[in-house]
Amino acid sequence: MPTEANRDEAARAATADKAGKAAAESGTARPAPAAPLTERQEARRRRILRACAHLAGRGGFDAVQMREVAESSQVALGTLYRYFPSKIHLLVATMQDQLETLHGTLRKKPPAGATPAERVAETLMRAFRALQREPHLADAMVRALTFADRSVSPEVDQVSRQTTRIILDAMELTDPTPEQLSAVRVIEHTWHSALITWLSGRASIAQVKTDIETVCRLMDLTAPESADTR
């Protein structure tokens, strides 16, 4: 259940996005295009995401103001709202972009564990340490995920799919069973929860590592050979 502090934070986010929502209601703002972006549009989108990450990294959730993002990325405010209807949309998309960059790094240097559980745990701890280097950015992105409502579902789904791809790559698995996909979802939930508890100062890095290693053992339990020996 959201705390009073979280409700206040969400209210501030709503206030910050008031202009964008008003534009959306008047029909002057639209969600990001469904069609593939042109090279120029993609370059503009990447500038926006970089500006968002820079502002969040410097000052956290409150530092991401849509007008400042527009100025930093050299796009009109109305254009920014056409790509991202609110700062919550923008920060969740920024998290997906950060995970995609991390995925590329992991592919260049895959985890070296002997079992799927070891490789997934190593991968998620590397992801955690990458976020640890940018605590303000991590806090802003996780808050956005927490505040996201149904209107942000496409962006949240992209974050989930990217996380799933990272975990499946670590498992060296291309055709997961329903049981394995269920385990992946539980691992994702635990990782997200571990981020929240660490960011709020309620868990140490050692505790996070223990929790992640524990939940990742689900991958070994759901391996087909394990099922055959039961």
Side-chain angles (χ1 to χ4, degrees):
M1 180 177 295
T3 64
E4 184 175 348
N6 279 347
R7 287 195 295 270
D8 291 343
E9 195 72 61
R12 286 197 292 272
T15 300
D17 293 334
K18 184 177 180 181
K21 291 179 179 178
E25 290 171 358
S26 67
T28 59
R30 301 184 304 277
L37 299 180
T38 65
E39 184 175 341
R40 184 176 180 182
Q41 289 172 329
E42 181 59 33
R44 184 183 297 128
R45 183 178 184 276
R46 298 211 63 78
R47 288 204 311 273
I48 292 170
L49 293 173
R50 283 197 300 270
C52 177
H54 175 73
L55 289 169
R58 190 175 63 187
F61 186 86
D62 289 335
V64 180
Q65 302 297 324
M66 296 297 270
R67 188 172 297 277
E68 289 190 32
V69 173
E71 291 174 358
S72 296
S73 57
Q74 298 181 321
V75 302
L77 185 60
T79 300
L80 172 59
Y81 277 114
R82 284 198 292 273
Y83 281 83
F84 304 102
S86 76
K87 102 178 201 177
I88 300 297
H89 288 79
L90 175 55
L91 279 165
V92 175
T94 299
M95 186 166 196
Q96 193 277 333
D97 185 64
Q98 295 287 311
L99 288 172
E100 186 175 338
T101 299
L102 174 68
H103 197 186
T105 301
L106 289 166
R107 282 174 168 167
K108 292 177 182 177
K109 188 179 179 182
T115 68
E118 291 175 354
R119 292 193 297 272
V120 173
E122 179 187 338
T123 292
L124 293 181
M125 285 307 300
R126 285 169 64 180
F128 180 83
R129 292 189 183 98
L131 293 172
Q132 185 186 2
R133 289 192 289 270
E134 295 270 9
H136 292 307
L137 174 58
D139 181 67
M141 294 186 302
V142 170
R143 287 194 191 192
L145 276 177
T146 303
F147 298 150
D149 58 22
R150 289 185 180 181
S151 71
V152 198
S153 290
E155 289 80 5
V156 173
D157 287 345
Q158 287 180 3
V159 169
S160 180
R161 285 194 294 270
Q162 186 66 58
T163 307
T164 297
R165 285 193 289 268
I166 289 172
I167 293 173
L168 292 178
D169 269 11
M171 294 174 63
E172 300 176 359
L173 189 63
T174 58
D175 189 22
T177 66
E179 189 177 22
Q180 288 170 327
L181 286 175
S182 180
V184 168
R185 287 193 295 271
V186 174
I187 291 170
E188 287 181 31
H189 297 328
T190 302
W191 184 65
H192 181 229
S193 178
L195 280 175
I196 292 174
T197 55
W198 173 73
L199 287 167
S200 64
R202 293 183 288 118
S204 66
I205 295 174
Q207 288 172 312
V208 168
K209 185 173 185 291
T210 297
D211 289 349
I212 288 176
E213 288 176 344
T214 299
V215 75
C216 285
R217 294 192 188 107
L218 285 174
M219 300 320 311
D220 292 340
L221 294 176
T222 59
E225 56 268 24
S226 297
D228 291 342
T229 58
R230 286 199 298 266

